[in-house]
Amino acid sequence: MKTLVFFAAALAAGAQAREPENLAALVDEMAVLERVLGAALESEMSGLAASRDDLRALSYQTRMELEHWLQERVRAIEAEYLVRQGILVSLQFSRRPSARDLPSALFTTLARTGETRLPGLNASLQPDDFAGLKVQVVELDEVRRQYAQLLEQWHVELRDASKGGNLDRPIDSGPIGREIGASQAKQRELQTAIDKEVRRLRDLLVEMTDEPSTDDSHGVLMQTVCDYAMLKSLPDEEHLTLKVGQDKAGQDGRRTGRQWTYYVLAKQDVVDCRHGSIDAEELRERAYVYSRERP
């Protein structure tokens, strides 16, 4: 009997559980907010509408994988509602590739093709910058072509010597063997020079390129909220909280962790910004802001 009474009490407690009266409207509004903010941020942050096609063309031309440059800037976005607190929008931004991320083989390929535009960067090299690298790459290509011919001749000589039973003398010590050794040394010398020249070009690009900052990304986010966050169904006393995740990287470009930054915005401040009473910078100044880092 006690068990039945307890079960009945539990059912009664469950029946008394409350939910927001306007939850359905909030859910619909959050779905729209996810789509609109995601699309607007992607457009504003990446600026890749034109450069995406250029990047795909460059990837096809150079036969190199450039997915890292083509990935979406907004990796994930999700909105949820916390009763009597407000809407929480969680976003994760992908780290924008920089000139340091460009593979060395891309520079040598561009030197061969004569293409110097690098879509997705705020700077580009000039044809004259590639002059030295082009000479080295062309010479290395020629040395490698001759090396392949030498190897073919060496295999023929080795086969003929094997058929004639004349393997007393090491083939490597013959004229072709010595040419092969000299060719290998020349290839190493040229490759060292090419690596040095690629480092120079990459450093030049790094100096010329304005690296995007976390502050820039968050400024774009705040402006996007001003432009697109409606919040019609959100109670007036509640808040819109932005939880922004962004990867952190060391000098070598490797990921070292992730920083989460929280912006707690009063609904009225968001409405005022949307109506033009305040701007995005002031909206950001009025927000409660705090951060935490995780591996």
Side-chain angles (χ1 to χ4, degrees), residues 71-125:
Q71 68 182 355
E72 301 293 322
R73 297 278 76 81
V74 183
R75 185 186 304 168
I77 180 169
E78 181 180 9
E80 54 189 314
Y81 179 62
L82 307 176
V83 179
R84 302 182 67 180
Q85 298 177 55
I87 295 175
L88 171 65
V89 178
S90 302
L91 309 99
Q92 293 185 46
F93 291 153
S94 298
R95 187 177 69 86
R96 182 190 292 272
S98 72
R100 293 186 179 87
D101 299 308
L102 289 171
S104 297
L106 180 60
F107 287 91
T108 56
T109 303
L110 293 175
R112 288 188 182 94
T113 62
E115 175 62 72
T116 60
R117 293 181 306 110
L118 294 167
L121 291 178
N122 296 326
S124 186
L125 296 171

Side-chain angles (χ1 to χ4, degrees), residues 36-101:
V36 172
L37 283 184
L41 280 170
E42 186 62 35
S43 175
E44 292 292 332
M45 290 181 62
S46 64
L48 288 178
S51 61
R52 277 189 183 279
D53 290 339
D54 292 337
L55 278 166
R56 290 191 180 94
L58 182 62
S59 178
Y60 178 79
Q61 180 183 13
T62 61
R63 300 185 184 279
M64 299 191 65
E65 300 295 335
L66 299 175
E67 282 83 358
H68 189 45
W69 290 78
L70 290 167
Q71 68 182 355
E72 301 293 322
R73 297 278 76 81
V74 183
R75 185 186 304 168
I77 180 169
E78 181 180 9
E80 54 189 314
Y81 179 62
L82 307 176
V83 179
R84 302 182 67 180
Q85 298 177 55
I87 295 175
L88 171 65
V89 178
S90 302
L91 309 99
Q92 293 185 46
F93 291 153
S94 298
R95 187 177 69 86
R96 182 190 292 272
S98 72
R100 293 186 179 87
D101 299 308

